[in-house]
Amino acid sequence: MYLITGTTGNVGSEVVAQLLDSGQMVRVFTRNPDKVAHWGKRIQVAIGDFAQPDAFARAAAGVEGIFLMNGGPDAESVRQLLEAAKTQGSPSIVFLSTMLASIPEEFQIGKLHKDKEDAIRASDLQATFIRPVGFMTNTYQWLDTIKAESVAYNPMGAGKSAPIAPEDIAAVVIRALTDPKFSGKTLEVTGSELLNTADQVNILAQILDRPLRCVDVPIEFAIQGFMRAGVPAPIAAAIGQSFEAVRDGRTATIKDTVKQVTGNQPKTFEAWAREHAARFV
């Protein structure tokens, strides 16, 4: 039995689906059971949130491993959650972090994740840390403007990264959950090709068979957009820093982790975009 958090997100939902497809037993930790009702009786549901260590302890009872999303809890909350979980046994932990956690002194997003990594390490539970670059699903930020204006607004200039599909991250997560040889490892995860925003927009345009434009904007423009959407100002600013990292070439790296861990090459952006093209129409 595995306990999965963040099950309504792009990665967490894939982790649940792939675990179920492989015949594993899954328990999900959620505030709203209606949001996971589509899995029906294939899953167990534990109701609660990260502000409720007692509920998390009950959810962790009897599980072999826990997939912990970054989500809402700060490092102290993570410590409390894991102390609560330890009252029910010694589950292994797989934590979804970020590549920027390798340089926490420079990037606030990296520091937020690294602080939580350190809290997990201090718990003395066996743990694996998954550090991806940007998700291919980040392109969903363009959905409204592509539909309304045929435009993707780009705060990252010509900076390149190797975006990764959530299903490839999930495949790495599942190996880390189910194979103890990955315990204690930090796995940096990327896609297989370096692309900038204009490259991705051009690929989408070809798939959708209509012209799309990539319009460069200041990073502050993107930060203000996140804040208008309800993202707290410090988090929006931290996301802006991550855009700076891409713009300045700090994330222009390719790792072969997906191939090494799962035996499969990660999806190309074109393959992923073809699968999800209907979202952009």
Side-chain angles (χ1 to χ4, degrees):
M1 175 73 72
Y2 295 95
L3 177 64
I4 311 301
T5 69
T7 52
T8 59
N10 293 311
V11 176
S13 60
E14 279 289 338
V15 171
V16 173
Q18 292 183 30
L19 280 172
L20 292 174
D21 287 347
S22 66
Q24 299 288 351
M25 297 178 66
V26 175
R27 182 180 297 152
V28 305
F29 187 62
T30 181
R31 286 177 294 199
N32 186 350
D34 292 341
K35 292 187 175 181
V36 296
H38 57 286
W39 281 305
K41 294 182 179 179
R42 299 179 69 197
I43 62 170
Q44 293 183 12
V45 177
I47 298 174
D49 62 36
F50 289 137
Q52 300 172 303
D54 290 346
F56 191 76
R58 291 190 293 272
V63 303
E64 298 175 55
I66 299 172
F67 173 58
L68 190 61
M69 285 286 296
N70 177 47
D74 57 20
E76 175 58 21
S77 296
V78 169
R79 186 194 68 78
Q80 293 177 13
L81 290 173
L82 297 185
E83 286 301 311
K86 285 164 63 176
T87 66
Q88 303 295 324
S90 299
S92 62
I93 307 296
V94 176
F95 177 63
L96 187 65
S97 186
T98 172
M99 188 84 80
L100 294 179
S102 63
I103 40 178
E105 66 281 358
E106 296 185 45
F107 295 100
Q108 184 63 18
I109 285 286
K111 184 178 187 307
L112 291 171
H113 286 74
K114 180 62 163 53
D115 287 348
K116 294 171 189 179
E117 287 186 9
D118 289 343
I120 294 168
R121 292 185 180 96
S123 74
D124 292 328
L125 293 170
Q126 297 296 312
T128 307
F129 303 95
I130 314 295
R131 291 179 173 178
V133 289
F135 301 175
M136 292 180 182
T137 45
N138 289 350
T139 59
Y140 291 160
Q141 297 169 9
W142 312 332
L143 287 176
D144 290 343
T145 58
I146 281 181
K147 291 176 182 178
E149 308 169 44
S150 297
V151 169
Y153 291 101
N154 169 37
M156 292 175 282
K160 293 191 174 187
S161 65
I164 184 163
E167 45 266 51
D168 288 324
I169 301 173
V172 173
V173 167
I174 288 169
R175 288 300 307 276
L177 276 171
T178 59
D179 191 336
K181 77 178 182 183
F182 295 105
S183 180
K185 295 185 180 298
T186 298
L187 303 174
E188 294 187 332
V189 183
T190 76
S192 60
E193 53 189 351
L194 288 175
L195 301 170
N196 59 30
T197 300
D199 295 329
Q200 294 173 72
V201 172
N202 287 336
I203 290 169
L204 274 173
Q206 293 172 14
I207 292 170
L208 298 176
D209 193 26
R210 65 186 179 94
L212 300 176
R213 292 185 299 130
C214 177
V215 175
D216 288 350
V217 295
I219 287 175
E220 184 60 31
F221 177 91
I223 292 172
Q224 293 299 320
F226 284 120
M227 291 171 60
R228 285 193 298 273
V231 176
I235 300 300
I239 295 171
Q241 277 193 324
S242 71
F243 290 163
E244 289 180 20
V246 176
R247 183 196 63 192
D248 297 343
R250 303 291 295 276
T251 62
T253 184
I254 293 175
K255 305 286 184 177
D256 63 353
T257 308
V258 174
K259 173 67 173 177
Q260 288 190 0
V261 172
T262 71
N264 299 315
Q265 289 288 353
K267 288 184 179 181
T268 64
F269 180 75
E270 180 179 2
W272 176 87
R274 287 190 183 280
E275 292 177 5
H276 300 277
R279 293 285 300 269
F280 295 89
V281 176

